[in-house]
Amino acid sequence: MRVLGIETSCDETGVAIYDSEQGLLADALYSQVAMHTEYGGVVPELASRDHVRKLLPLIREVLSTANLTLADLDAVAYTAGPGLIGALMVGASTGRALALGLGIPAIAVHHMEGHLLAPMLEERPPAFPFVALLVSGGHTQLVRVDAIGEYQLLGESLDDAAGEAFDKAAKMLGLEYPGGPLIARLAEQGDRSRFRFPRPMTDRPGLDFSFSGLKTFTLNTADSCRDAAGKIDPQTMADIAAAFEDAVVDTLAIKCRRALRETGLKQLIIAGGVSANRRLRARLEEMVAAEKSHLYYARPAFCTDNGAMIAYAGCQRLLAGQQSDLTILARPRWPMEALPPLS
């Protein structure tokens, strides 16, 4: 089965073609980061308009790369949520219209299920069951995964997601949007022993997260280091970035270890934009080795939003006989636990 995957949940337009027998045939991505940097964050209306401009050219591009035509497609999968409603509507309406015009099935895909299954695109995919850390700009969740569609939420952020906290900490230091990668890059030059930031909610039971207090601590530290002109010297900025990154990474690692112990599972996957963070990967590799467990993650290109994960997730549900009706489905909020199992 050849499935066209469409991802337009936020500020990246992703399109891919996945074949159930041959694997990923083609994928393309257009990022709107340069446009939104001017505003310090994603502007929903601008994001929607840019998806309209870029989606059809990207569909033509992946078809050309795979040496296919629209007639060679067997189904269409599109992100239906969660995300920005306008951006979602662009992909959903395009995907639904393509499927209707071609007379093939379409399926609405949950954005976070796409992220969760992205490591399945790698040569060494995990086997069920496993614990998943979904960590991005919009979500920080720990989920027990027994099979596709069989999800148990173990814990989540009670306020900001980890990726959002990275972006806001970067803004406090005067860095551009998106700040997460800039914080990580700056942290490489930092003295990690100079500042000690708190590891929120690690001193109490449970698997929930909270990063709002860490943001406040970062802001207070940054303000205390400013000179009379309100500036922070470059080395101090790097030291603060390193302390912040370590606090987030340690917090995520502590909760992941707790989740593995509480569930008794020996496999951990990490997915979402923050899963590309090298410090996080290294820390979790150390943790799973000590726990005699295994860690899985997608290649960096498939950690951020992309069409390949949507094509793959949609293909698995389509192979199980599921498909969506003619309704153009877009859900800005959509709990993943509400998804049906494959069987």
Side-chain angles (χ1 to χ4, degrees), residues 184-318:
R185 197 174 306 137
L186 188 61
E188 293 177 359
Q189 311 302 320
D191 177 358
R192 297 182 182 273
S193 65
R194 180 176 175 184
F195 298 105
R196 171 71 182 182
F197 283 20
R199 276 60 173 161
M201 295 186 70
T202 57
D203 58 349
R204 65 185 76 176
L207 295 170
D208 287 331
F209 304 88
S210 173
F211 295 104
S212 61
L214 182 58
K215 285 191 315 177
T216 302
F217 193 94
T218 303
L219 178 62
N220 290 339
T221 302
D223 286 346
S224 70
C225 295
R226 298 185 190 279
D227 59 23
K231 303 290 185 180
I232 305 175
D233 70 83
Q235 185 58 53
T236 297
M237 284 182 61
D239 297 344
I240 293 173
F244 174 83
E245 182 182 53
D246 279 356
V248 174
V249 165
D250 283 352
T251 299
L252 294 173
I254 290 167
K255 296 287 185 170
C256 285
R257 180 179 61 204
R258 191 176 296 175
L260 290 173
R261 290 180 176 180
E262 290 186 7
T263 61
L265 299 178
K266 292 297 183 180
Q267 296 189 107
L268 172 70
I269 75 137
I270 55 173
V274 181
S275 70
N277 181 281
R278 287 186 290 182
R279 188 80 174 176
L280 175 62
R281 291 187 177 194
R283 179 73 173 82
L284 290 177
E285 290 283 10
E286 294 174 0
M287 184 273 290
V288 297
E291 295 293 316
K292 295 181 170 58
S293 301
H294 302 281
L295 178 67
Y296 301 85
Y297 43 75
R299 70 197 77 169
F302 292 162
C303 291
T304 54
D305 295 350
N306 64 87
M309 68 182 191
I310 302 303
Y312 177 84
C315 185
Q316 305 315 302
R317 291 192 171 274
L318 287 158

Side-chain angles (χ1 to χ4, degrees), residues 115-200:
H115 275 304
L116 186 150
L117 297 177
M120 299 295 187
L121 292 163
E122 302 304 320
E123 292 184 5
R124 189 177 66 96
F128 299 106
F130 52 76
V131 171
L133 172 66
L134 302 177
V135 57
S136 65
H139 298 82
T140 301
Q141 297 178 328
L142 278 166
V143 181
R144 178 185 174 122
V145 181
D146 289 298
I148 295 176
E150 296 181 26
Y151 307 129
Q152 177 189 356
L153 181 65
L154 302 175
E156 62 184 338
S157 179
L158 303 179
D159 39 61
D160 292 346
E164 181 182 4
F166 264 102
D167 286 341
K168 290 181 177 177
K171 190 172 184 178
M172 295 170 191
L173 296 176
L175 302 177
E176 291 185 344
Y177 172 88
L182 299 180
I183 281 273
R185 197 174 306 137
L186 188 61
E188 293 177 359
Q189 311 302 320
D191 177 358
R192 297 182 182 273
S193 65
R194 180 176 175 184
F195 298 105
R196 171 71 182 182
F197 283 20
R199 276 60 173 161

